[in-house]
Amino acid sequence: GEDVEQSLFLSVREGDSSVINCTYTDSSSTYLYWYKQEPGAGLQLLTYIFSNMDMKQDQRLTVLLNKKDKHLSLRIADTQTGDSAIYFCAPGDGGSQGNLIFGKGTKLSVKP
Amino acid sequence: DTGVSQNPRHKITKRGQNVTFRCDPISEHNRLYWYRQTLGQGPEFLTYFQNEAQLEKSRLLSDRFSAERPKGSFSTLEIQRTEQGDSAMYLCASSLAGTVYGYTFGSGTRLTVV
């Protein structure tokens, strides 16, 4: 089945850029999603990228996809303390396959 | 529509008791998913429904776990004879099949088995 790997921790200073990386195994994913989870809360959809794209920009967020290497990254520009959370990448197909597979997530800590 | 609603937010139960959680999805969403999340882990898929049909249930953790969505709207997840290892956050999500917008998650039900 699908396997998703992310580094567990990332610490940055406020105002710097953050880059969160993800590798996955299932090359059939049509869409790949990034979710954010704040303490004690459910997951919030941040952004997604279609598998035939290699980059998508959405305000402070930039998603890069290297389909050949099955590598996905999320860049957060001008990181703020409110960005501190756990970030999950989740390959999927937008619903027709049935379920998204999540890794353990990357805990982003932003220091003032 | 206020999003995906899960009740209760917290549940403390004694080992061996049965518990039931409820999820109310976004009204126009025809798909509903249940996930379990333990501390330090990502959400682990359990089961999902399209309308009232349960299309995948092989990932339910044991036969003590069951889920229903009788009228294709709200869903319930039941755990029978709870064990301490069942302590976790149970997340529900919904989506509209055929769209790209991923899932909308509820805030979860935190279960503590004592």
Side-chain angles (χ1 to χ4, degrees), chain A residues 16-53:
Chain A
D16 288 350
S17 292
S18 308
V19 179
I20 301 170
N21 294 301
C22 168
T23 58
Y24 58 96
T25 56
D26 186 354
S27 59
S28 68
S29 299
T30 308
Y31 301 99
L32 301 100
Y33 299 89
W34 282 101
Y35 283 84
K36 174 184 179 182
Q37 187 177 34
E38 297 181 0
L43 279 74
Q44 172 195 355
L45 177 65
L46 282 180
T47 188
Y48 64 91
I49 187 166
F50 188 45
S51 60
N52 69 352
M53 300 169 65

Side-chain angles (χ1 to χ4, degrees), chain A residues 1 8 31 33 35 37 40-45 48 86 88 93-105, chain B residues 9 31 33 35 37 40-43 45 48 56 59 89 91 95-107:
Chain A
L8 294 181
Y31 301 99
Y33 299 89
Y35 283 84
Q37 187 177 34
L43 279 74
Q44 172 195 355
L45 177 65
Y48 64 91
I86 301 175
F88 296 94
D93 68 351
S96 63
Q97 183 175 315
N99 58 286
L100 300 180
I101 302 298
F102 294 85
K104 292 184 179 182
Chain B
R9 287 297 310 275
R31 288 200 167 178
Y33 310 82
Y35 282 79
Q37 187 176 25
Q41 302 294 315
F45 172 74
Y48 88 99
E56 172 62 66
R59 305 281 190 93
M89 176 78 88
L91 296 166
S95 73
L96 184 60
T99 65
V100 308
Y101 302 115
Y103 301 174
T104 302
F105 278 87
S107 297

Side-chain angles (χ1 to χ4, degrees), chain B residues 19-111:
Chain B
V19 294
T20 300
F21 311 138
R22 177 177 170 126
C23 173
D24 288 88
I26 291 174
S27 55
E28 60 266 29
H29 284 183
N30 55 0
R31 288 200 167 178
L32 187 148
Y33 310 82
W34 285 100
Y35 282 79
R36 183 181 81 156
Q37 187 176 25
T38 54
L39 198 61
Q41 302 294 315
E44 176 186 13
F45 172 74
L46 296 178
T47 188
Y48 88 99
F49 295 84
Q50 177 154 321
N51 301 313
E52 64 274 11
Q54 191 172 12
L55 298 187
E56 172 62 66
K57 57 182 178 180
S58 65
R59 305 281 190 93
L60 285 168
L61 299 163
S62 78
D63 58 6
R64 297 185 297 107
F65 287 72
S66 62
E68 293 184 341
R69 194 184 184 196
K71 297 181 180 178
S73 57
F74 75 91
S75 175
T76 57
L77 177 70
E78 182 183 17
I79 309 174
Q80 295 183 326
R81 305 181 302 281
T82 51
E83 302 173 356
Q84 285 192 319
D86 297 332
S87 295
M89 176 78 88
Y90 290 84
L91 296 166
C92 174
S94 68
S95 73
L96 184 60
T99 65
V100 308
Y101 302 115
Y103 301 174
T104 302
F105 278 87
S107 297
T109 294
R110 180 165 295 283
L111 173 67

